[in-house]
Amino acid sequence: QVQLVESGGGLVQAGGSLRLSCAASGSISSINHMGWYRQAPGKQRELVARITSGASIHYADSVKGRFTISRDNAKNTVYVQMNSLKPEDTAVYYCNANVASGWFKAVDYWGQGTQVTVSS
């Protein structure tokens, strides 16, 4: 089994910054892509940013230039630095990781979610 533990959410004023962290632990042979998704009330979960094991990065258009994703492979941890936050960034943010364990096929795992609230 693999666990993803997120931290760093909270309440911030518009224009402020937050940094989310997500650490993977458990039976891990390798981690392919890691990323962040978010889900606002009444909306579908959407991709925010993703980083591959080779450090290729993809951002949603809505966060380009404001969010920066990074990962520490030695710590099996992914981060997202969120700057210039807007009220529309308010959502529950979920960590995602595609993890291979032993001989088994890689599987997607999810964190429990962390609330980010941006006040206007």
Side-chain angles (χ1 to χ4, degrees):
Q1 259 307 355
V2 174
Q3 298 79 39
L4 301 182
V5 177
E6 301 146 340
S7 60
L11 173 65
V12 65
Q13 288 188 331
S17 298
L18 284 174
R19 186 188 193 218
L20 306 183
S21 301
C22 171
S25 63
S27 181
I28 299 172
S29 295
S30 61
I31 301 179
N32 299 315
H33 57 261
M34 302 184 80
W36 293 92
Y37 288 71
R38 66 187 181 188
Q39 187 166 19
K43 294 188 177 182
Q44 289 188 331
R45 188 174 297 189
E46 63 175 1
L47 174 67
V48 174
R50 178 190 292 154
I51 182 168
T52 69
S53 57
S56 293
I57 291 173
H58 171 81
Y59 293 105
D61 288 343
S62 58
V63 307
K64 282 181 181 176
R66 300 188 298 122
F67 289 15
T68 302
I69 190 171
S70 61
R71 66 188 278 178
D72 184 334
N73 292 326
K75 295 181 179 180
N76 291 331
T77 299
V78 63
Y79 309 92
V80 62
Q81 176 67 42
M82 306 186 294
N83 298 328
S84 302
L85 282 162
K86 305 175 181 180
E88 50 264 44
D89 294 318
T90 296
V92 177
Y93 283 69
Y94 296 92
C95 175
N96 167 265
N98 185 258
V99 180
S101 302
W103 296 102
F104 296 98
K105 180 182 176 181
V107 174
D108 273 347
Y109 292 90
W110 293 89
Q112 78 282 3
T114 185
Q115 178 70 45
V116 171
T117 302
V118 184
S119 63
S120 58

